[in-house]
Amino acid sequence: MKILVSDSLSEEGLAILKESGFDVVVKTGLSEDELVNEIKGVDALVIRSGTQVTARVIEAADKLKIVGRAGVGVDNVDVEAATKKGIIVSNTPDGNTLSAAEHTFAMLMSAARNIPQACASLRADKWERNKFMGVELNKKVFGVVGLGRIGAEVAKRGQAFGMTILGYDPFVSEERAKSMGIQLTTVEDICRRADFITVHTPLTKETTNLINKDMFNVMKKNVRIINCARGGIINEDDLADAVEAGKIAGAAIDVFVKEPPTGSRLLKSDKIIVTPHLGASTVEAQINVAIDIAHEIINVLNGEGAKSA
Ligand code: NAD
Ligand code: MLT
């Protein structure tokens, strides 16, 4: 059987696939047309976020049994088309949780202390100690929207810094939130009360534009907002408007509606710090997700069924 790896995968994962005795072909950077050709005769496709598995690709697949995503989000796969054709779409839900949580916290602290801006200023031979006055995290209110794997880890780190955590997640019970030391409330209440806000939901119909103009209008002026989940949960134009109008203090954004976000207003403001979708970009996370997806692919091709979805 043939496995096509169409995004870069760590060596540890590739080695497991190769040792399994299947025919492993690595071809990255394929266009949709190229993938439509390549997918013929392929039993398993391994991707990260770069490959778009569109309905056309699914349609062209004649032997495909599984699309394995080394990572969490499967928004680059037409899951409906795959499911209709009986193709499993599988992900690695745990492998990059800690890396994404740590990146979120790095972004939060960078926003609180203006670290990227101060670094750029000093490199430009300036010594602007007053310009980069920051804020402490201690005793601040931290709103966490989405209390799943990453949200829960981020909340824990906030507590370690002396922050009070407000949370919103329609699928988390009061009891569970209480056990995590989190006060459950609404998104609007978080927006009214928090000093820092972070979102950790999937991008769905319900979460698209969850943080929008109406929410920015009720926020305090000192708010710093972070998105290391998916572009579009925070409305990008409304965010740019709120920052430009001085309604909030700033933002830290790792993910964008369009990636790369060429020409985006979010790249133009000094008060918005940005990274190019680096949440899962650690050596450890990439090894974890590659190993997890390799085992999943082998299980499915050996007829043992999928563990994640
Ligand atoms: P998860 O499934 O463990 O948690 C998501 C949580 O969101 C769940 O608890 C769910 O109940 C909650 N949720 C669903 N709908 C909601 C809504 N309408 N309002 C509030 N909460 C809602 O997922 P995770 O592993 O914690 O990942 C969270 C997000 O981070 C995903 O979008 C994922 O794709 C993204 N992610 C990004 C990076 C990165 O590189 N920046 C890395 C890993 C994951
Ligand atoms: C994910 O969904 O796992 C992250 O966005 C990281 C990635 O795309 O590699």
Side-chain angles (χ1 to χ4, degrees):
M1 280 195 266
K2 182 172 171 183
I3 302 171
L4 173 62
V5 180
S6 63
D7 286 318
S8 62
L9 194 72
S10 90
E11 278 307 319
E12 287 78 356
L14 282 176
I16 293 171
L17 290 175
K18 286 175 184 160
E19 279 158 21
S20 69
F22 296 115
D23 177 18
V24 182
V25 177
V26 180
K27 278 193 184 167
T28 59
L30 299 173
S31 67
E32 188 188 33
D33 283 346
E34 288 167 332
L35 186 55
V36 162
N37 284 329
E38 291 292 338
I39 203 71
K40 298 197 171 69
V42 167
D43 295 276
L45 175 65
V46 184
I47 59 168
R48 284 182 55 204
S49 56
T51 302
Q52 300 298 315
V53 188
T54 60
R56 262 190 79 212
V57 173
I58 298 287
E59 169 126 1
D62 51 357
K63 286 183 74 194
L64 195 62
K65 295 161 187 62
I66 175 169
V67 177
R69 160 75 156 102
V72 180
V74 287
D75 24 31
N76 51 327
V77 181
D78 191 328
V79 179
E80 206 183 312
T83 309
K84 268 193 199 144
K85 219 171 159 179
I87 298 166
I88 296 166
V89 179
S90 197
N91 66 352
T92 58
D94 306 307
N96 60 28
T97 300
L98 292 179
S99 290
E102 288 182 4
H103 191 69
T104 304
F105 226 79
M107 293 292 265
L108 185 153
M109 296 192 76
S110 299
R113 303 302 292 268
N114 306 301
I115 291 171
Q117 299 92 329
C119 177
S121 158
L122 189 49
R123 285 202 170 131
D125 279 337
K126 296 180 194 157
W127 189 253
E128 303 181 295
R129 296 187 67 212
N130 292 334
K131 184 171 173 188
F132 298 117
M133 184 68 71
V135 290
E136 285 188 351
L137 306 189
N138 189 41
K139 295 202 166 84
K140 294 295 188 322
V141 176
F142 187 18
V144 182
V145 179
L147 297 169
R149 294 176 185 84
I150 298 169
E153 290 295 335
V154 168
K156 225 191 271 176
R157 282 152 183 75
Q159 286 158 342
F161 276 81
M163 304 175 95
T164 299
I165 316 292
L166 301 181
Y168 172 72
D169 190 318
F171 305 104
V172 165
S173 66
E174 285 284 352
E175 212 177 18
R176 161 115 177 98
K178 210 168 158 198
S179 75
M180 295 194 282
I182 297 173
Q183 195 186 318
L184 276 189
T185 183
T186 60
V187 176
E188 183 169 340
D189 189 50
I190 287 177
C191 291
R192 282 185 194 284
R193 291 165 58 197
D195 303 295
F196 294 87
I197 300 170
T198 184
V199 294
H200 298 288
T201 69
L203 182 68
T204 62
K205 212 159 30 77
E206 290 75 29
T207 63
T208 299
N209 299 325
L210 188 63
I211 308 291
N212 55 30
K213 189 166 64 180
D214 296 340
M215 295 297 127
F216 286 114
N217 283 341
V218 301
M219 287 180 197
K220 298 194 281 190
K221 271 193 144 190
N222 67 326
V223 166
R224 287 164 175 85
I225 188 159
I226 299 119
N227 186 359
C228 290
R230 277 295 176 269
I233 299 171
I234 300 175
N235 181 289
E236 292 185 342
D237 270 329
D238 293 350
L239 170 61
D241 287 344
V243 171
E244 278 167 25
K247 280 189 182 162
I248 65 168
I253 306 293
D254 183 49
V255 285
F256 302 85
V257 170
K258 183 169 76 74
E259 295 183 355
T262 318
S264 166
R265 288 174 68 195
L266 301 185
L267 307 187
K268 307 249 174 343
S269 170
D270 256 8
K271 292 183 178 157
I272 303 177
I273 63 175
V274 289
T275 46
H277 202 144
L278 293 184
S281 295
T282 63
V283 173
E284 293 83 353
Q286 288 314 311
I287 291 175
N288 291 342
V289 297
I291 290 176
D292 289 352
I293 208 63
H295 287 306
E296 182 83 337
I297 296 282
I298 291 165
N299 283 342
V300 169
L301 294 188
N302 284 334
E304 286 161 29
K307 290 202 188 92
S308 64

